[in-house]
């Protein structure tokens, strides 16, 4: 009876070891299938050759618009100084007309500044959207080709740069249910 107990213990130990190996191998295989990556997306975009030419183009436009705005401001200042010099010698009608001209010029200068800012923003979008789209496509392609589930953007303020929706569970409905929401 003693021999069969030892034999059973050896068999039980062997079974436990085999179960452990299967679990360990399964975890190792599972861990190998869970691929994650990270990237500094901002650094990538700034390293792209087209980024520098886009930046130079945008800076050139910004300088042109600033110079034009400064010239208009100088012109307005000169008109105002001229008005102040002669205001006391003008009739009411002429003074009111010149004041209206100054107000109109000030309004046009404000419109120019607003339009210049809008033009600059539009140009920035026009120049940089294709660059960021190209970088994002490359990140997605690398993620898919590498069989990754997530690629995290580690640049300041970065998010998830890529995730494979087929391998990741959207838990929105589960969380809403947990919170008593529909």
């Amino acid at each position: 009876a003693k021999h069969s107990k030892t034999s059973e213990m050896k068999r039980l130990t062997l079974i436990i070891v085999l179960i452990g190996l299967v679990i360990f191998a399964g975890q190792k295989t599972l861990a190998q299938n869970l691929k994650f990556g990270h990237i500094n997306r901002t650094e990538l975009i700034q390293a792209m050759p087209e980024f520098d030419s886009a930046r130079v183009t945008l800076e050139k436009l910004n300088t042109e618009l600033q110079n034009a705005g400064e010239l208009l401001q100088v012109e307005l200042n000169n008109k105002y100084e001229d008005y102040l010099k002669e205001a006391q010698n003008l009739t009411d009608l002429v003074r009111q007309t010149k004041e209206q001209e100054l107000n109109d010029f000030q309004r046009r200068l404000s419109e120019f500044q607003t339009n210049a800012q809008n033009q600059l923003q539009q140009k920035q979008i026009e120049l940089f959207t294709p660059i960021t789209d190209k970088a994002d496509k490359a990140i997605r392609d690398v993620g898919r080709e590498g069989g990754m589930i997530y690629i995290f953007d580690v640049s300041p303020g970065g998010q998830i740069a890529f995730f494979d929706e087929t391998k990741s569970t959207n838990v929105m409905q589960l969380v809403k249910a947990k919170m008593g929401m529909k």
Side-chain angles (χ1 to χ4, degrees), residues 91-136:
T91 65
D92 287 346
L93 179 60
V94 174
R95 190 172 55 252
Q96 288 172 355
T97 302
K98 292 208 176 257
E99 287 171 359
Q100 186 60 45
E101 287 174 6
L102 286 170
N103 288 334
D104 288 346
F105 199 94
Q106 176 63 50
R107 183 184 45 77
R108 287 197 310 272
L109 175 59
S110 293
E111 285 176 5
F112 171 82
Q113 290 168 336
T114 300
N115 291 337
Q117 190 62 37
N118 290 340
Q119 184 179 356
L120 205 57
Q121 288 173 348
Q122 283 302 116
K123 192 66 170 177
Q124 183 176 2
I125 291 167
E126 175 189 318
L127 290 169
F128 289 98
T129 298
I131 296 170
T132 57
D133 287 349
K134 181 179 177 181
D136 290 342

Side-chain angles (χ1 to χ4, degrees), residues 7-127:
S7 174
E8 278 183 42
M9 285 297 281
K10 284 182 180 177
R11 227 170 86 203
L12 187 57
T13 303
L14 182 61
I15 290 172
I16 290 171
V17 167
L18 285 174
I19 290 172
L21 284 174
V22 168
I23 290 172
F24 177 74
Q27 285 178 338
K28 189 173 180 183
T29 302
L30 181 63
Q32 286 173 347
N33 290 334
L34 297 177
K35 290 185 179 179
F36 299 94
H38 67 275
I39 188 168
N40 186 322
R41 183 176 169 270
T42 302
E43 195 177 295
L44 169 70
I45 290 168
Q46 290 175 352
M48 294 169 67
E50 52 266 54
F51 178 85
D52 281 336
S53 61
R55 184 181 46 76
V56 166
T57 301
L58 193 64
E59 286 174 359
K60 182 180 174 195
L61 175 62
N62 185 42
T63 301
E64 288 173 12
L65 293 172
Q66 278 184 341
N67 290 343
E70 287 170 8
L71 286 174
L72 289 171
Q73 185 66 56
V74 166
E75 187 177 343
L76 175 62
N77 292 346
N78 290 340
K79 286 179 184 281
Y80 184 67
E81 286 176 18
D82 290 345
Y83 164 77
L84 289 178
K85 286 176 189 172
E86 58 186 36
Q88 58 195 5
N89 299 327
L90 300 174
T91 65
D92 287 346
L93 179 60
V94 174
R95 190 172 55 252
Q96 288 172 355
T97 302
K98 292 208 176 257
E99 287 171 359
Q100 186 60 45
E101 287 174 6
L102 286 170
N103 288 334
D104 288 346
F105 199 94
Q106 176 63 50
R107 183 184 45 77
R108 287 197 310 272
L109 175 59
S110 293
E111 285 176 5
F112 171 82
Q113 290 168 336
T114 300
N115 291 337
Q117 190 62 37
N118 290 340
Q119 184 179 356
L120 205 57
Q121 288 173 348
Q122 283 302 116
K123 192 66 170 177
Q124 183 176 2
I125 291 167
E126 175 189 318
L127 290 169

